[in-house]
C-alpha cells in the first residue's frame, strides 16, 4: 500500500503505523526486524512501528493508545486489520471525500474477501463478492447518515473519534462487564450522538480482507462477536443515541439470539410431534363442553411460513445474480453466467448444511455467556484450516449428537417428518466430513467459485501476496537476537515507551525474578537458560536490565 500510494504521487501525504501488542517476545523481536528491513527497502521515514507492552482492551485499546500518543498530528486515520488491504485509488478517494465533507466522521468501505485457500474460505469469498454489493447498497441507502462501523477498512476523522468515541468500561464482571469486545458499533453510535454523520461507500471498491480458513476458526471468532454483541445490552439505555444506532445494536444482539430460538423451535416441534404420536389427545377435557376440542393444526399457514423463509434466504441471491447479468465485465471475471449459477446453487446447498452446525455453536455460545463464561480474545489463524482428527471429533461431537437425537425422534413419529427435517438433520450428521472437506486447501485455479479479484487481481494485491510469501523466520531466542545485533538492540531500546508501572510505583514481579536470575548467572547463555518467556518479555521492556544482559559474555559452549 505504501509503495502504491508513493507511485501515485501522494507518498508524502501519508504516514503508516504498524500497531502491535503481542506478548510473545520472539514475535515482538521478529516484528522489529521486519520493520527495520521494511524501512530500508522502502527508503522512506514515514513508516513507524509501535509496540504496546500491555494489551489492555486489545484492538480498541491499541487504537486508543495510538490516538493519545500520535493522533493530534493528523486529521484522519484509516484503520486496517492484520489481513486488510486497500488500493491506492481507494485510499486517496477516501481522504478526498473526508476533506470535502467536514460533517462526516467516518466512511466505511465494503471489504471483499480475497486470498481464500480452503473450500470454506472460497465459499465465503464467492458469496460475499456476489451478494455483498447488492446488500451493502441497500444498507447504505436506508442507513443514510446513521451508518455503522465494522472496525476496519474505514477512514475516520480523528477529532470526531477522540472527542466522542471514548468507550466506557461496562459495570460488572465478564462476560457482560469490562472492556467492550465489539467496540465498532458502539464507536459509530457515540460519534453519531455527537452530531457527526456516519456514511458507507458500498460502490467504492478496492477494499479487501481475508476470512477464517475453516468453520471452527469462523465459530471461534463468532464466539467473541457473540459476547461483544450481547454486551451491547448495557449500551442500549445510553442517553442521546440516535434511534437508528440503537437499531444497529439491537440487530447485532438479535443476530445471535435467533440461533437458540431456532434450536428451541426445532426441539419443541419434535416434542409436540412425539406427543401427538404417542399420547392420545383429549377431545373432551374435564368439565362441560358442547363440542370436542380438536388439535390445532394449520398446514396451509405452515406452508406459507416455509415459503416466506425460503424467500428471505433465496430472493437476495437471485436478485444479485440478475444484477450481475447486467454487468458484462464483472460477469466475465466471475467466469460467466453458467459457472456463477452453478456456484450459487452449490453455495446455497453447502451453506444450508453448515447453518445447523452454526446454530448449535451459537446456541452454546449464548448459553455459556448467560452462565458467565468469558470467551476472551483468541488469536485468529490465518493459514490453512487443517486440524487434528481428535480435535475435530471433540468440537463436532455436540452437533453430531443433536443430529442423531433429531433423526431418531423424527423417525419415531413418521418417515415424512424425517424427510421434512432432512436438511437440518443431514447437516448435523455430516458435520465432521463436511468440516474435513471444507477445511482442505482447494484448487486455487478452479473456475468454480471464481471472483473478479481472483481472475484479475489488482496490482496492490499481487504485490502484497509476493511480500507475504517471503520467509520470515522467528527465532526462539529474542535476547540472543539482540545480543548479536547491536543495531537491532538500539532500535528496540529507542522504541520502548516509559515504564508506566514504575511511574505508578508498582513492581513487576516477573522483572524482579528475571533480575535476580541474571545476577546469579555468570554468562549470557546461562542467564538465557534461566529465564521463562514471561520473564524474557519483562526484560525486553526494561532498558536498564536489557542493556546489562546484552553486555554479558557468551559461554564457552
Amino acid at each position: 500500500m505504501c509503495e502504491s500510494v508513493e507511485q501515485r504521487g501522494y507518498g508524502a501525504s501519508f504516514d503508516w503505523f504498524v500497531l502491535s501488542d503481542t506478548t510473545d517476545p520472539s514475535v515482538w523481536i521478529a516484528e522489529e526486524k521486519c520493520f527495520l528491513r521494511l524501512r530500508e527497502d522502502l527508503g522512506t521515514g514515514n513508516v513507524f512501528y509501535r509496540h504496546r507492552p500491555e494489551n489492555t482492551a486489545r484492538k480498541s485499546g491499541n487504537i486508543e493508545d495510538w490516538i493519545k500518543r500520535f493522533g493530534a498530528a493528523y486529521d484522519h486515520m484509516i484503520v486496517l486489520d492484520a489481513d486488510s488491504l486497500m488500493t491506492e485509488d481507494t485510499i486517496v478517494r477516501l481522504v478526498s471525500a473526508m476533506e470535502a465533507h467536514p460533517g462526516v466522521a467516518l466512511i466505511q468501505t465494503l471489504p471483499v474477501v480475497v486470498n481464500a485457500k480452503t473450500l470454506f474460505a472460497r465459499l465465503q469469498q464467492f458469496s460475499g463478492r456476489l451478494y455483498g454489493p447488492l446488500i451493502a447498497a441497500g444498507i447504505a441507502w436506508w442507513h443514510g447518515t446513521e451508518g455503522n462501523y465494522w472496525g476496519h477498512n474505514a477512514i475516520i476523522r480523528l477529532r470526531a473519534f477522540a472527542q466522542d468515541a471514548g468507550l466506557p468500561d461496562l459495570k460488572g464482571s465478564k462476560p457482560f462487564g469490562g472492556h467492550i469486545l465489539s467496540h465498532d458499533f458502539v464507536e459509530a453510535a457515540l460519534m453519531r450522538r455527537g452530531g457527526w454523520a456516519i456514511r458507507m461507500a458500498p460502490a467504492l471498491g478496492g477494499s479487501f480482507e481475508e476470512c477464517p480458513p475453516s468453520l471452527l476458526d469462523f465459530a471461534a471468532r463468532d464466539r467473541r462477536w457473540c459476547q461483544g454483541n450481547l454486551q451491547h445490552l448495557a449500551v442500549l439505555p445510553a442517553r442521546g443515541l440516535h434511534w437508528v444506532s440503537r437499531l444497529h445494536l439491537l440487530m447485532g444482539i438479535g443476530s445471535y439470539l435467533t440461533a437458540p430460538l431456532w434450536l428451541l423451535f426445532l426441539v419443541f416441534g419434535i416434542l409436540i410431534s412425539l406427543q401427538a404420536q404417542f399420547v392420545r389427545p383429549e377431545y373432551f377435557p374435564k368439565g362441560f363442553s358442547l363440542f370436542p376440542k380438536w388439535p390445532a393444526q394449520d398446514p396451509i399457514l405452515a406452508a406459507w411460513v416455509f415459503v416466506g423463509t425460503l424467500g428471505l434466504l433465496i430472493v437476495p441471491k437471485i436478485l444479485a445474480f440478475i444484477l450481475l447479468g447486467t454487468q458484462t465485465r464483472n460477469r466475465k471475471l466471475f467466469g460467466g453466467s453458467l459457472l456463477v449459477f452453478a456456484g450459487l446453487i452449490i453455495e446455497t446447498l453447502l451453506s444450508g448444511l453448515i447453518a445447523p452446525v452454526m446454530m448449535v455453536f451459537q446456541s452454546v455460545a449464548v448459553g455459556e455467556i448467560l452462565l458467565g463464561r468469558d470467551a476472551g480474545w483468541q488469536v485468529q489463524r490465518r493459514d490453512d484450516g487443517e486440524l487434528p482428527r481428535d480435535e475435530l471429533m471433540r468440537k463436532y461431537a455436540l452437533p453430531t449428537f443433536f443430529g442423531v437425537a433429531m433423526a431418531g425422534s423424527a423417525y419415531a413419529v413418521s418417515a415424512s417428518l424425517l424427510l421434512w427435517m432432512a436438511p437440518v438433520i443431514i447437516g448435523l450428521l455430516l458435520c465432521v466430513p463436511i468440516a474435513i472437506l471444507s477445511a482442505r486447501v482447494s484448487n486455487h485455479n478452479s473456475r468454480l467459485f471464481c471472483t473478479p479479484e481472483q481472475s484479475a487481481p489488482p496490482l496492490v494485491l499481487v504485490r502484497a501476496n509476493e511480500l507475504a510469501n517471503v520467509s520470515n523466520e522467528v527465532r526462539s531466542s529474542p535476547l540472543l537476537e539482540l545480543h548479536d545485533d547491536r543495531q537491532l538492540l538500539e532500535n528496540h531500546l529507542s522504541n520502548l515507551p516509559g515504564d508506566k508501572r514504575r511511574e505508578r510505583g508498582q513492581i513487576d514481579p516477573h522483572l524482579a525474578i528475571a533480575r535476580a536470575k541474571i545476577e546469579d548467572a555468570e554468562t549470557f547463555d546461562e542467564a538465557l537458560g534461566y529465564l521463562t518467556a514471561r520473564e524474557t518479555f519483562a526484560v525486553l521492556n526494561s532498558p536498564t536490565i536489557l542493556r546489562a544482559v546484552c553486555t554479558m559474555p557468551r559461554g564457552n559452549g
Side-chain angles (χ1 to χ4, degrees), residues 131-344:
Y131 318 136
L134 178 70
I135 296 171
I139 289 174
W141 175 80
W142 81 266
H143 283 185
T145 57
E146 287 76 44
N148 213 347
Y149 174 38
W150 299 338
H152 58 92
N153 290 53
I155 187 168
I156 303 174
R157 192 177 303 276
L158 270 161
R159 182 164 66 91
F161 196 87
Q163 176 180 298
D164 295 308
L167 293 173
D169 284 345
L170 301 179
K171 294 180 180 179
S173 58
K174 297 178 179 179
F176 287 100
H179 301 293
I180 300 175
L181 296 181
S182 294
H183 54 89
D184 37 19
F185 280 33
V186 180
E187 288 162 345
L190 293 176
M191 285 188 285
R192 185 65 191 91
R193 183 176 69 172
W196 299 94
I198 310 295
R199 288 284 189 177
M200 184 179 182
L204 183 59
S207 179
F208 312 107
E209 64 173 340
E210 296 181 13
C211 77
S214 72
L215 179 57
L216 279 182
D217 293 297
F218 184 87
R221 185 184 69 175
D222 195 67
R223 171 63 172 80
R224 185 182 79 238
W225 288 356
C226 178
Q227 181 172 327
N229 277 268
L230 292 183
Q231 283 181 312
H232 294 166
L233 287 166
V235 181
L236 277 173
R239 295 180 181 178
L241 296 183
H242 195 280
W243 71 268
V244 176
S245 298
R246 295 188 199 275
L247 187 59
H248 291 321
L249 299 175
L250 278 171
M251 290 175 66
I253 296 167
S255 65
Y256 288 96
L257 295 182
T258 52
L261 288 176
W262 182 20
L263 182 59
L264 287 173
F265 177 80
L266 291 172
V267 170
F268 281 113
I270 290 178
L271 291 176
I272 292 171
S273 299
L274 287 171
Q275 182 189 38
Q277 179 72 15
F278 297 106
V279 179
R280 183 177 178 180
E282 292 288 341
Y283 296 104
F284 294 95
K286 293 180 180 180
F288 178 76
S289 176
L290 291 175
F291 303 100
K293 184 177 180 181
W294 304 106
Q297 294 180 355
D298 194 337
I300 296 178
L301 182 60
W304 276 112
V305 170
F306 177 74
V307 170
T309 303
L310 281 183
L312 288 172
L313 296 173
I314 302 299
V315 169
K317 299 184 178 187
I318 296 175
L319 290 176
F321 179 74
I322 294 172
L323 177 64
L324 182 67
T326 66
Q327 303 168 343
T328 304
R329 183 175 183 275
N330 244 0
R331 187 174 66 252
K332 290 180 179 179
L333 292 176
F334 265 104
S337 297
L338 289 177
L339 270 177
V340 172
F341 187 74
L344 187 153

Side-chain angles (χ1 to χ4, degrees), residues 201-526:
L204 183 59
S207 179
F208 312 107
E209 64 173 340
E210 296 181 13
C211 77
S214 72
L215 179 57
L216 279 182
D217 293 297
F218 184 87
R221 185 184 69 175
D222 195 67
R223 171 63 172 80
R224 185 182 79 238
W225 288 356
C226 178
Q227 181 172 327
N229 277 268
L230 292 183
Q231 283 181 312
H232 294 166
L233 287 166
V235 181
L236 277 173
R239 295 180 181 178
L241 296 183
H242 195 280
W243 71 268
V244 176
S245 298
R246 295 188 199 275
L247 187 59
H248 291 321
L249 299 175
L250 278 171
M251 290 175 66
I253 296 167
S255 65
Y256 288 96
L257 295 182
T258 52
L261 288 176
W262 182 20
L263 182 59
L264 287 173
F265 177 80
L266 291 172
V267 170
F268 281 113
I270 290 178
L271 291 176
I272 292 171
S273 299
L274 287 171
Q275 182 189 38
Q277 179 72 15
F278 297 106
V279 179
R280 183 177 178 180
E282 292 288 341
Y283 296 104
F284 294 95
K286 293 180 180 180
F288 178 76
S289 176
L290 291 175
F291 303 100
K293 184 177 180 181
W294 304 106
Q297 294 180 355
D298 194 337
I300 296 178
L301 182 60
W304 276 112
V305 170
F306 177 74
V307 170
T309 303
L310 281 183
L312 288 172
L313 296 173
I314 302 299
V315 169
K317 299 184 178 187
I318 296 175
L319 290 176
F321 179 74
I322 294 172
L323 177 64
L324 182 67
T326 66
Q327 303 168 343
T328 304
R329 183 175 183 275
N330 244 0
R331 187 174 66 252
K332 290 180 179 179
L333 292 176
F334 265 104
S337 297
L338 289 177
L339 270 177
V340 172
F341 187 74
L344 187 153
I345 297 298
I346 297 173
E347 183 274 330
T348 300
L349 293 174
L350 290 176
S351 297
L353 294 175
I354 292 172
V357 183
M358 282 303 300
M359 170 193 68
V360 175
F361 285 151
Q362 289 184 342
S363 299
V364 170
V366 172
E368 289 177 343
I369 293 167
L370 293 178
L371 292 174
R373 181 178 176 184
D374 175 37
W377 190 294
Q378 299 182 22
V379 177
Q380 182 177 318
R381 293 198 312 149
R382 303 183 188 276
D383 47 11
D384 60 65
E386 294 281 354
L387 288 172
R389 289 289 178 93
D390 57 343
E391 183 177 355
L392 281 171
M393 299 299 291
R394 179 169 51 85
K395 293 290 182 66
Y396 286 105
L398 187 60
T400 304
F401 168 77
F402 272 109
V404 172
M406 285 185 180
S409 301
Y411 183 73
V413 175
S414 67
S416 60
L417 180 61
L418 178 63
L419 185 62
W420 178 259
M421 297 190 64
V424 173
I425 292 173
I426 291 174
L428 294 172
L429 292 178
L430 298 182
C431 61
V432 173
I434 290 174
I436 294 174
L437 291 173
S438 64
R440 288 178 178 171
V441 176
S442 63
N443 182 8
H444 182 71
N445 296 319
S446 172
R447 296 183 65 193
L448 188 64
F449 303 133
C450 183
T451 62
E453 289 70 31
Q454 184 179 340
S455 299
L459 294 178
V460 69
L461 179 57
V462 174
R463 177 61 174 149
N465 287 336
E466 289 176 359
L467 294 170
N469 290 328
V470 176
S471 175
N472 294 304
E473 182 182 356
V474 179
R475 290 181 60 175
S476 58
S477 176
L479 288 176
L480 183 60
E481 295 265 15
L482 297 177
H483 186 279
D484 295 345
D485 190 335
R486 291 293 158 175
Q487 181 185 358
L488 181 62
L489 173 63
E490 294 303 320
N491 178 78
H492 174 83
L493 291 169
S494 66
N495 282 333
L496 289 179
D499 191 344
K500 294 183 179 180
R501 285 175 178 258
R502 196 168 183 176
E503 293 173 3
R504 295 193 296 260
Q506 298 176 342
I507 296 176
D508 183 354
H510 299 286
L511 183 60
I513 295 172
R515 183 173 184 174
K517 289 181 176 180
I518 291 170
E519 290 175 351
D520 286 343
E522 296 182 359
T523 64
F524 173 81
D525 297 281
E526 188 177 355

